[in-house]
Amino acid sequence: MKANEINIRDPFVLFDNGKYYLYGTRAENFGRHTKGFDVYISENLVDFTEPLECFNSEVYGLDREVNWAPEVHKYNGKYYMFATFTKENGLRGTYALKAEKPEGPFTPHSKGALTPDEWECLDGTLYIDKSGQPYLVFCHEHTQIIDGTICYMKLKKDLTEADGEPVLIFSGSSPEWADRKPAGDHYVTDGPFMFRTKSGELLMLWSTSAKGKYCQCVAKSENGEIDGKFIHLPPIITDDGGHGMIFSFENQLTLTFHSPNKTGFERPVFKKIEDLGDSIKIAE
């Protein structure tokens, strides 16, 4: 099948052993009660396999409500999926799953949700610093705190649980270009992804809505690490696309994101990008 036939949100691509593994949220019912996740495999980003189930959330009691934003990282020779599910207490959180192969099957790995139990969270992504220390970067949802935030939290080396308290990176209202809203109106944060440029700068991709449209945003750490102050750069996608990540396709950096942000119509989009050293841009 072709990319424009794949109805997923939150696309994530892992390149492994000459193949591209595309994961995402089953878009039906906005990713609620969808019983897990699929992977689509390609060698050229044009032709993909039919969806292959890589995690069955129903088997493990994780189909309580949401099945959102699976992303897979290779870490210490194994494959770890970070995905958002509804916890027993009714709040959302990010869990770690594990598999021997990128196509799964994945099984639960973390001791419950990695994110704080009393928080409503989503879209956890793995970040490994220069010393090899793993972190979870995630969103504290606007549904609970109105002005959504992005935070980081140190993880234990085996990725089974947090190894510290969450630290605020920034809030959804913090960019200069953010819409100015009346008190009580919500600011969305979602889809963080960390990327180190060719000059060593640390960027964060993330998404929100601005001027009524979903957008792909970029922020840069002032000290080149996760604990630095993040400076907001201009959004790179402003026309109803977001929740992106970066990977390399045939030695060309590529951004994938979903667009449009409308249930039933979401598709993975692939765009070539340029690494400018201190930022990124869509290639001409």
Side-chain angles (χ1 to χ4, degrees):
M1 62 193 309
K2 308 296 184 182
N4 64 7
E5 299 174 292
I6 300 174
N7 182 206
I8 58 171
R9 302 176 61 83
D10 320 323
F12 190 96
V13 173
L14 172 72
F15 179 71
D16 190 71
N17 293 323
K19 295 181 179 179
Y20 297 88
Y21 295 84
L22 171 64
Y23 308 88
T25 301
R26 291 172 175 168
E28 184 180 0
N29 196 27
F30 202 71
R32 288 177 162 86
H33 302 296
T34 55
K35 302 181 181 180
F37 303 116
D38 302 311
V39 60
Y40 302 80
I41 305 172
S42 177
E43 295 183 358
N44 56 16
L45 290 188
V46 174
D47 303 294
F48 290 84
T49 63
E50 293 294 318
L52 305 171
E53 185 173 87
C54 58
F55 179 66
N56 186 318
S57 64
E58 197 172 34
V59 169
Y60 299 100
L62 288 173
D63 194 37
R64 300 183 188 98
E65 191 198 10
V66 307
N67 294 240
W68 284 353
E71 58 175 66
V72 176
H73 301 259
K74 191 172 185 178
Y75 175 77
N76 290 342
K78 306 295 182 182
Y79 300 88
Y80 293 88
M81 176 183 284
F82 294 82
T84 300
F85 301 99
T86 304
K87 298 176 289 188
E88 289 184 9
N89 65 5
L91 299 174
R92 294 187 275 268
T94 293
Y95 292 64
L97 316 174
K98 183 180 180 181
E100 298 293 320
K101 300 180 295 183
E103 61 267 35
F106 286 85
T107 58
H109 175 70
S110 58
K111 298 176 181 178
L114 295 166
T115 46
D117 192 56
E118 70 279 10
W119 288 18
E120 178 132 285
C121 302
L122 80 167
D123 295 352
T125 187
L126 180 66
Y127 169 65
I128 310 293
D129 74 8
K130 293 178 180 178
S131 73
Q133 172 62 50
Y135 292 84
L136 187 74
V137 182
F138 64 95
C139 298
H140 190 180
E141 282 213 68
H142 69 100
T143 51
Q144 187 176 54
I145 58 173
I146 299 178
D147 191 356
T149 62
I150 297 181
C151 303
Y152 72 85
M153 194 163 53
K154 186 181 289 188
L155 297 178
K156 290 192 174 179
K157 291 289 183 73
D158 64 3
L159 310 183
T160 57
E161 58 187 322
D163 193 22
E165 296 300 314
V167 179
L168 173 68
I169 300 178
F170 59 76
S171 62
S173 64
S174 60
E176 289 185 2
W177 47 259
D179 296 339
R180 296 301 127 199
K181 301 180 180 182
D185 279 13
H186 290 227
Y187 289 87
V188 173
T189 52
D190 75 31
F193 176 80
M194 310 308 295
F195 174 73
R196 194 168 294 281
T197 71
K198 60 186 179 183
S199 64
E201 300 283 4
L202 182 64
L203 304 183
M204 181 198 296
L205 301 184
W206 69 287
S207 291
T208 190
S209 292
K211 297 180 179 178
K213 291 190 175 182
Y214 198 42
C215 55
Q216 183 63 70
C217 315
V218 184
K220 180 178 71 173
S221 170
E222 280 194 327
N223 71 356
E225 257 310 338
I226 194 68
D227 61 355
K229 179 182 178 182
F230 277 76
I231 306 302
H232 293 285
L233 306 177
I236 58 172
I237 302 289
T238 57
D239 190 20
D240 205 25
H243 198 120
M245 59 82 63
I246 295 170
F247 65 102
S248 181
F249 171 64
E250 297 181 343
N251 297 315
Q252 170 69 57
L253 285 178
T254 302
L255 171 71
T256 185
F257 57 94
H258 76 253
S259 182
N261 192 38
K262 182 179 180 182
T263 300
F265 296 89
E266 309 95 328
R267 298 292 187 271
V269 177
F270 302 100
K271 284 190 176 292
K272 295 178 181 179
I273 61 170
E274 293 183 28
D275 182 345
L276 303 177
D278 61 350
S279 184
I280 56 172
K281 73 171 187 176
I282 304 299
E284 300 296 334

